[in-house]
Amino acid sequence: MNIIDGNKIAKDIIEDLKNEVGQLPNGRPTVAFIRVGEDPASISYVRKKQKTAEAIGIHAELTVLPESISQEELFAVIETYNKNDAVNGILIQAPLPKHIDETATFNQVDPRKDVDGFHTLNIGKLCQEDASGFVACTPAGIVELIKRSQIETEGKHVVVLGRSQIVGKPATLLMVRKGTPGNATVTVCHSRTQNLADITRQADILIAAIGKAHFVTKEMVKPGASIIDVGINRIPDATKKSGTRLVGDVDFDAVSPLCEHITPVPGGVGPMTVAMLMQNTLKAFKAMNS
Ligand code: GUN
């Protein structure tokens, strides 16, 4: 059993990006973050992204908007960044307040600056296997973990648990596309899937992205399978100072002895998401300055 070290892999990627950014002949990339409201998880994620950007030499700007902001006002802020030639990447931290249409907001970002890969145009490019687009950071991170852990995907059965816009759907497209990693046979399972365990037990690679703590039990896994756990769930834990701890969608202690490879939570997919955002920002900068 190999526990995939997402922290180490992300650190290697960040180191490479730092070297590359340091050698750019024509200035530094800039990424603009927009946060709406004071959600503690969003504050922490954006802070982490800012710190990583700065460590690489990517300039990071942050606009914090009140929870009460109207959609029109938010769109006006995005438009300012769209028009600003010095800004290469724009990221609007989700979740957004209920009165704001999230998809419409993501589509407001200039697709050339859509480092989150959430714009309809970039999702279309992923579908068409057009490498000029941006791939959403979490699925891109999953692919990178699979690649760097030398997990074979060609002809293998990948089962994706979850059909979200941010993870399940793009991960499915990436696994099925022609390429390496890719060329897999992919099954997508979701809340309406019947006989779920019968399907997950067929998986050579299981990507769990449903957001339910310890949902994947050992009865659902084929011995020798590789598991990518995308879940970030907070559960009560009296032994911790905070009273809680983070766990994935997989019952790690029970399942990991069965696996060929498995990602831990924390320290698996999470750090890769941030590294991929930085990679996308550099890609946007290069495309705008070539
Ligand atoms: N909220 C949770 N994941 C993400 C992400 O990848 N990007 C953004 N913008 N918001 C998120």
Side-chain angles (χ1 to χ4, degrees), residues 45 49 91-95 106 116 118 137-138 166 273:
Y45 290 143
K49 291 170 187 177
L91 181 142
I92 304 141
Q93 185 65 31
F106 295 141
D116 246 338
F118 293 167
C137 303
T138 301
I166 293 185
T273 298

Side-chain angles (χ1 to χ4, degrees), residues 7-280:
N7 282 323
K8 164 79 170 62
I9 296 173
K11 209 169 142 223
D12 290 347
I13 293 169
I14 286 164
E15 198 54 41
D16 289 348
L17 290 171
K18 190 176 168 183
N19 288 334
E20 200 177 337
V21 168
Q23 288 169 23
L24 287 171
N26 46 1
R28 285 162 163 223
T30 294
V31 59
F33 299 110
I34 300 173
R35 197 186 82 218
V36 182
E38 300 299 323
D39 171 53
S42 290
I43 293 173
S44 147
Y45 290 143
V46 171
R47 192 176 292 142
K48 174 81 190 148
K49 291 170 187 177
Q50 269 183 296
K51 277 180 75 172
T52 308
E54 277 150 19
I56 291 172
I58 292 174
H59 179 63
E61 289 184 18
L62 171 64
T63 300
V64 179
L65 300 169
E67 183 92 19
S68 60
I69 194 158
S70 71
Q71 186 152 303
E72 291 67 34
E73 288 166 315
L74 173 60
F75 283 12
V77 173
I78 297 170
E79 198 48 34
T80 312
Y81 282 133
N82 281 342
K83 287 198 181 124
N84 184 346
D85 288 341
V87 172
N88 310 107
I90 302 170
L91 181 142
I92 304 141
Q93 185 65 31
L96 292 171
K98 294 266 177 296
H99 64 277
I100 290 177
D101 180 335
E102 221 163 70
T103 305
T105 303
F106 295 141
N107 279 336
Q108 203 64 28
V109 174
D110 182 333
R112 293 168 305 170
K113 301 188 180 189
D114 174 35
V115 287
D116 246 338
F118 293 167
H119 192 288
T120 302
L121 187 87
N122 284 314
I123 296 168
K125 284 188 174 185
L126 173 60
C127 210
Q128 293 172 337
E129 307 194 15
D130 176 345
S132 74
F134 292 101
V135 177
C137 303
T138 301
I142 294 170
V143 167
E144 202 60 37
L145 284 178
I146 289 175
K147 190 162 129 189
R148 290 178 185 241
S149 306
Q150 293 168 347
I151 299 171
E152 180 63 77
T153 58
E154 179 150 334
K156 301 293 182 189
H157 189 186
V158 175
V159 174
V160 179
L161 274 182
R163 55 178 160 180
S164 69
Q165 298 283 357
I166 293 185
V167 185
K169 286 199 186 100
T172 299
L173 290 167
L174 288 165
M175 287 295 113
V176 83
R177 74 177 172 179
K178 298 187 186 84
T180 310
N183 289 331
T185 303
V186 186
T187 303
V188 187
C189 299
H190 48 77
S191 54
R192 306 295 171 93
T193 297
Q194 295 183 353
N195 305 322
L196 182 69
D198 289 344
I199 299 168
T200 57
R201 265 200 304 272
Q202 293 171 33
D204 300 306
I205 300 166
L206 184 61
I207 299 175
I210 37 169
K212 289 194 175 143
H214 293 162
F215 182 85
V216 176
T217 59
K218 67 178 195 303
E219 291 73 27
M220 296 168 72
V221 174
K222 175 171 78 176
S226 292
I227 302 192
I228 308 292
D229 189 351
V230 191
I232 302 179
N233 310 293
R234 208 163 263 290
I235 61 164
D237 184 341
T239 69
K240 301 279 177 201
K241 212 160 63 183
S242 65
T244 64
R245 75 183 159 110
L246 287 182
V247 297
D249 289 348
V250 178
D251 183 358
F252 186 89
D253 292 344
V255 169
S256 57
L258 289 175
C259 296
E260 170 106 32
H261 301 272
I262 185 164
T263 63
V265 177
V269 175
M272 294 299 292
T273 298
V274 181
M276 293 299 105
L277 175 67
M278 301 303 140
Q279 196 161 287
N280 278 349

